[in-house]
Amino acid sequence: MASTADIKNGVVLSIDGQLWNVIEFQHVKPGKGGAFVRTKLKNVVSGKTVDRTYNAGAKIEIENVDRRDFTYLYNDGDSFVFMDVADYDQINVPAAVVGDAKNFLLENQQVQIAMNNGNPLYIELPASVVLEITYTEPGLQGDRSSAGTKAATVETGYEIQVPLFVEQGTKVKVDTRTGDYLGRVN
């Protein structure tokens, strides 16, 4: 058992049998009364975010989470196959764990997978990836009803909004957290 003094960003807590990732925390010492720790927690499985407050010195349960580098190999129907960079072991990660990361996964891409007791919890992608536009309508110069953007499909099948001048076959940089277009890549 650990205490609230051990809370840091990125630590995973076990609360009522569920795993919660600490997004941010703040140690508060008011003028009167006891000190406490205010935390913002994100459920590892569902992604739900909650705020929790603990009295200073309260006992908490910290889970051991191992983040390791993997290479994405291929999609096997209902799961995704990754290879450990260190020992070349392959693991199957269910599509539910991969979640929205599947929209940005290309073969041989490096990712980090957080593991707890041999079970994959979630996948951490790089902040941005380079993807090729496989289909987009030609942009008409006078068309400003859509604020100068149009829909484009990237090589993973995901649809993003790009400026009118972007054409089919162009490589673009995409933010993996929001799915936003960041720019063209030469």
Side-chain angles (χ1 to χ4, degrees):
M1 288 298 250
S3 74
T4 55
D6 300 317
I7 292 179
K8 295 178 185 63
N9 289 346
V11 167
V12 177
L13 306 177
S14 177
I15 303 168
D16 300 329
Q18 293 186 338
L19 297 177
W20 297 83
N21 194 359
V22 177
I23 299 171
E24 54 186 61
F25 74 99
Q26 181 182 20
H27 188 83
V28 180
K29 285 173 76 172
K32 64 180 189 182
F36 58 91
V37 178
R38 188 178 295 138
T39 63
K40 182 180 254 183
L41 305 172
K42 181 177 179 183
N43 189 310
V44 170
V45 177
S46 69
K48 177 180 169 188
T49 305
V50 297
D51 294 324
R52 284 214 48 180
T53 303
Y54 296 97
N55 290 329
K59 297 294 179 203
I60 55 172
E61 196 173 332
I62 293 180
E63 283 291 325
N64 184 23
V65 173
D66 183 25
R67 289 177 178 84
R68 298 200 316 239
D69 291 327
F70 283 82
T71 301
Y72 171 62
L73 296 178
Y74 58 92
N75 183 350
D76 187 19
D78 58 346
S79 66
F80 292 77
V81 180
F82 293 87
M83 179 182 67
D84 193 332
V85 175
D87 58 12
Y88 304 111
D89 282 345
Q90 291 184 8
I91 63 166
N92 288 6
V93 179
V97 174
V98 174
D100 289 339
K102 72 179 182 301
N103 298 329
F104 309 106
L105 276 176
L106 290 174
E107 291 181 0
N108 299 319
Q109 184 176 355
Q110 299 294 317
V111 298
Q112 271 197 336
I113 299 180
M115 310 272 282
N116 175 260
N117 299 329
N119 298 325
L121 300 175
Y122 57 90
I123 292 178
E124 292 179 8
L125 292 171
S128 64
V129 292
V130 175
L131 299 170
E132 186 176 331
I133 303 288
T134 56
Y135 176 76
T136 186
E137 296 286 334
L140 300 174
Q141 188 55 35
D143 180 23
R144 287 291 180 262
S145 63
S146 57
T149 62
K150 61 183 177 178
T153 305
V154 294
E155 56 190 306
T156 61
Y158 186 63
E159 193 170 281
I160 62 172
Q161 291 294 317
V162 297
L164 291 174
F165 59 81
V166 175
E167 299 172 358
Q168 192 167 316
T170 306
K171 288 192 180 287
V172 295
K173 191 180 237 186
V174 180
D175 188 329
T176 58
R177 298 171 299 244
T178 61
D180 291 342
Y181 164 85
L182 296 176
R184 288 185 292 183
V185 177
N186 296 348

